[in-house]
């Protein structure tokens, strides 16, 4: 057999094998693609000094460098296997089987991949062995041209189809593959009297679908956990790169935290509450060793959004969250990981799809919204909202006023309500779950038929009662008492 034809036989067989694996992986989770699984296993096996070197040398191209290197190695193996099989197809078949087994081992070694995923490297093994023997026979019968063309065509079609199908379902596959996130420290059980949902407050825990969503992303960044990394650098002694697996293998904590958007108007909807699972940023930063003089944690998302958080807040209570309400984060809320810092508005803390943590100073870096007119430092203001009655509603019978109050991280101590400018009356409060969460309240009023206006105001645990002055959300959050007008019939 001519060397060129022998080499091409090996090369095409290996391409066909990878393409078949990629196609099957589109259905069982793209990270099961033998090609990607071997790459990810290589990343995991890489010592962290080499990883840090690759990231600092090639930046975000480090993955491209790795995958290109793998193409060259794999092509080389294919050519060598072909050349070794000039008289008999056995050596090439053995290579196909050995590579298939390596692929299976790579897939099985990944803790984030389900059992079914093994079908992808199995498909590669079978295709590689079959195509190699088929081409080998065609070459010996001098009908190689047709065989080469068919194989190349089918391989390209399978690979492209796998990539298109796979990258579409990709993120959901990656989320599913993660399965349950079991925190070592669970958030305390939410007592039944934490909300007054039947009186019109939101439910204490907001579901992923109901959770408010604010971001600058035109399309939700689609990042798979298997390929995601978080870089920690800047004013630290030991820069680090964390993978999703490294984070989930640490002691996970669960905390109930209420997120709030600075652009929320008085009475507005941009506030929600969830059980977040993750690790303490403080633990990571202490491992990295924060240098003196740093006062800002500057976080960057995959889509380029940035936020700057005061380092003291972050060290005390910041989380790198990978789960929300018992599941991996929903794609819209930052999958695979986001920051959650109780007490800070989202735009200066809650970076979704976070990929980079830079320990720096406020003097040096400005987050996305700061040059656009918003304050660099934005702790959440003590506020409250009336959820029922609805504005301009009509009420039959007794009047129940119910709502929400928040003052993360101080906590809500008291909510008062008044009708028609009369005396303030203290509302009944829902269970005090955590100072990082909202607190629900309700009050029954005895109002005569006719038009009425009710107002509410919260007092936090530091003793501060929220300001009456109506301020716009720009630059650091709205203030003012929420009021609702309605009619009792
Ligand atoms: N990547 C990214 N993260 C982001 C934002 C963004 O625009 N891009 N918006 C922030 C703002 S302003 C808020 S209020 C919170 C909202 O988080 P949520 O959409 O999960 O409720 O995310 C923060 N994180
Ligand atoms: Mo926000």
């Amino acid at each position: 057999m001519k060397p060129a034809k022998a080499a091409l036989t090996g090369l095409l067989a290996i391409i066909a094998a990878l393409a078949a694996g990629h196609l099957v992986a589109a259905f069982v989770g793209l990270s099961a693609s033998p090609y990607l699984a071997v790459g990810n296993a290589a990343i995991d096996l890489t010592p962290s000094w080499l990883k840090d070197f690759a990231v600092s040398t090639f930046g975000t191209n480090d993955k491209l460098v790795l995958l290109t290197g793998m193409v060259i190695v794999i092509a080389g193996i294919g050519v060598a296997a072909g050349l070794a099989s000039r008289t008999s197809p056995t050596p090439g078949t053995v290579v196909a089987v050995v590579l298939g087994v390596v692929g299976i081992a790579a897939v099985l070694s990944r803790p984030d991949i389900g059992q079914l995923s093994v079908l992808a490297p199995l498909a590669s093994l079978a295709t590689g062995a079959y195509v190699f023997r088929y081409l080998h026979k065609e070459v010996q019968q001098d009908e190689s041209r047709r065989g080469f063309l068919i194989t190349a065509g089918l391989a390209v079609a399978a690979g492209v189809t796998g990539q298109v199908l796979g990258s579409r379902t990709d993120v959901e596959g990656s989320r599913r593959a993660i399965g349950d996130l079991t925190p070592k420290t669970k958030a305390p059980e939410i007592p039944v009297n934490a909300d007054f949902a039947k009186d019109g407050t939101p439910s204490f825990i907001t579901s992923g679908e109901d959770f408010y969503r604010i971001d600058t992303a035109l399309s939700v960044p689609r990042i798979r956990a298997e390929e995601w990394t978080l870089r920690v650098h800047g004013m630290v002694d030991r820069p680090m790169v964390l993978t999703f697996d490294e984070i989930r293998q640490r002691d996970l904590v669960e905390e109930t935290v209420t997120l709030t958007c600075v652009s929320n108007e008085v009475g507005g909807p941009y506030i929600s509450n969830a059980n977040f699972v993750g690790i303490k940023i403080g633990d990571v930063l202490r491992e990295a060793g924060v240098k003196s003089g740093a006062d800002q944690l500057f976080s960057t998302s995959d889509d380029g959004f940035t936020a700057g958080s005061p380092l003291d807040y972050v060290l005390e209570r910041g989380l790198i969250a990978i789960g929300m309400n018992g599941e991996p984060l929903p794609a819209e809320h930052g999958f695979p990981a986001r920051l959650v810092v109780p007490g800070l508005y989202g735009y200066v803390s809650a970076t979704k799809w976070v990929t980079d943590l830079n320990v720096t100073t406020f003097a040096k870096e400005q987050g996305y919204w700061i040059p656009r007119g918003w304050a660099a430092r934005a702790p959440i203001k003590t506020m409250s909202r009336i959820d029922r009655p609805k504005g301009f509603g009509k009420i039959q019978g007794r009047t129940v006023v119910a709502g929400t109050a928040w003052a993360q991280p101080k906590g809500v101590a008291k909510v008062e309500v008044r009708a028609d400018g009369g005396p303030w009356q203290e509302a009944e409060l829902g269970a005090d779950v955590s100072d990082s969460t909202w607190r629900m309240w309700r009050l029954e009023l005895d109002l005569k038929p006719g038009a009425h206006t009710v107002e509410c105001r919260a007092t936090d645990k530091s003793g501060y009662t929220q300001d009456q002055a109506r301020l716009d959300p720009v630059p650091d959050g709205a203030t003012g008492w929420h009021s609702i007008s309605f009619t009792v019939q």
Side-chain angles (χ1 to χ4, degrees):
M1 191 187 288
K2 290 209 186 83
K5 281 194 172 172
L8 195 57
T9 303
L11 187 63
L12 278 176
I14 212 161
I15 291 173
L18 290 176
H22 210 60
L23 181 59
V24 172
F27 298 96
V28 296
L30 203 58
S31 46
S33 171
Y35 184 55
L36 295 175
V38 169
N40 282 318
I43 292 177
D44 282 359
L45 294 173
T46 309
S48 63
W49 60 265
L50 187 56
K51 232 188 282 183
D52 295 345
F53 166 79
V55 171
S56 57
T57 313
F58 304 113
T60 46
N61 287 329
D62 59 336
K63 302 248 166 43
L64 194 63
V65 172
L66 175 80
L67 292 178
T68 310
M70 280 174 51
V71 168
I72 295 168
V73 170
I74 287 171
I77 294 175
V79 167
L83 290 175
S85 309
R86 284 170 70 189
T87 48
S88 142
T90 308
T93 311
V94 170
V95 170
V97 172
V98 168
L99 283 182
V101 171
V102 169
I104 291 170
V107 165
L108 289 181
S109 77
R110 304 209 46 80
D112 49 0
I113 297 184
Q115 296 297 305
L116 210 59
S117 310
V118 99
L119 289 176
L122 272 178
S124 283
L125 191 160
T127 307
Y130 175 80
V131 168
F132 183 76
R133 296 185 78 90
Y134 160 76
L135 287 179
H136 202 270
K137 203 166 82 202
E138 296 270 286
V139 172
Q140 278 174 335
Q141 293 169 357
D142 247 348
E143 288 175 12
S144 55
R145 177 182 289 277
R146 192 192 61 178
F148 285 158
L149 285 176
I150 291 176
T151 307
L154 283 178
V156 169
V160 169
T161 309
Q163 184 61 28
V164 169
L165 287 180
S167 50
R168 205 183 303 147
T169 50
D170 213 357
V171 172
E172 275 319 303
S174 179
R175 279 187 83 234
R176 262 200 312 277
I178 289 165
D180 289 340
L181 290 167
T182 318
K184 186 161 181 234
T185 326
K186 268 191 77 70
E189 203 67 43
I190 308 297
V192 283
N193 61 339
D195 64 41
F196 300 111
K198 63 179 191 321
D199 291 320
T201 72
S203 62
F204 193 80
I205 296 286
T206 317
S207 68
E209 302 85 73
D210 290 343
F211 207 97
Y212 85 91
R213 179 182 161 202
I214 302 273
D215 52 62
T216 58
L218 288 180
S219 64
V220 176
R222 307 189 71 77
I223 313 160
R224 294 157 11 83
E226 297 85 341
E227 273 124 51
W228 172 89
T229 56
L230 179 64
R231 184 177 171 221
V232 182
H233 64 111
M235 297 172 70
V236 293
D237 299 324
R238 293 166 294 276
M240 311 161 59
V241 177
L242 292 170
T243 65
F244 190 85
D245 282 344
E246 282 164 357
I247 290 181
R248 93 174 283 183
Q249 277 157 25
R250 286 170 172 245
D251 290 344
L252 296 177
V253 295
E254 184 181 45
E255 280 180 30
T256 315
V257 181
T258 301
L259 291 191
T260 315
C261 185
V262 70
S263 62
N264 209 24
E265 306 273 355
V266 174
Y270 301 135
I271 177 163
S272 300
N273 181 59
N275 283 322
F276 290 98
V277 171
I279 59 171
K280 301 249 184 207
I281 309 177
D283 291 343
V284 173
L285 291 185
R286 273 180 282 273
E287 273 172 50
V290 175
K291 292 196 164 127
S292 69
D295 64 2
Q296 178 177 230
L297 182 72
F298 193 76
S299 50
T300 304
S301 113
D302 181 74
D303 67 344
F305 170 87
T306 54
S309 321
L311 206 51
D312 50 351
Y313 267 80
V314 170
L315 287 171
E316 200 173 324
R317 16 170 193 262
L319 290 179
I320 299 167
I322 57 173
M324 183 167 155
N325 296 338
E327 286 178 25
L329 290 174
E332 309 78 51
H333 295 291
F335 183 80
R338 73 174 307 166
L339 301 189
V340 170
V341 187
L344 297 174
Y345 285 120
Y347 81 108
V348 288
S349 67
T351 304
K352 305 191 272 190
W353 315 290
V354 64
T355 57
D356 191 286
L357 299 181
N358 179 13
V359 178
T360 181
T361 62
F362 276 98
K364 201 153 158 222
E365 299 283 357
Q366 281 196 323
Y368 182 87
W369 286 109
I370 315 311
R372 295 167 169 83
W374 296 82
R377 291 169 193 266
I380 290 175
K381 294 178 178 176
T382 300
M383 289 291 284
S384 55
R385 179 182 80 190
I386 299 165
D387 290 309
R388 195 174 293 171
K390 293 284 172 216
F392 310 108
K394 290 187 185 4
I395 292 182
Q396 322 261 341
R398 67 191 187 127
T399 306
V400 176
V401 187
T404 315
W406 60 94
Q408 314 93 297
K410 296 186 184 106
V412 173
K414 184 165 78 172
V415 174
E416 295 163 294
V417 178
R418 69 176 181 183
D420 308 314
W424 288 103
Q425 301 177 55
E426 221 173 303
E428 176 191 346
L429 291 178
D432 194 2
V433 174
S434 148
D435 293 342
S436 299
T437 64
W438 57 14
R439 202 160 175 193
M440 308 301 175
W441 53 267
R442 71 185 291 282
L443 184 66
E444 264 185 67
L445 293 174
D446 190 15
L447 297 176
K448 298 203 165 64
H452 296 280
T453 298
V454 290
E455 292 165 289
C456 68
R457 66 176 191 195
T459 299
D460 63 38
K461 289 181 181 173
S462 78
Y464 170 83
T465 300
Q466 75 178 88
D467 230 337
Q468 178 174 22
R470 277 273 177 158
L471 289 183
D472 274 346
V474 184
D476 63 355
T479 66
W481 298 337
H482 189 205
S483 76
I484 287 286
S485 298
F486 57 96
T487 310
V488 175
Q489 288 180 325

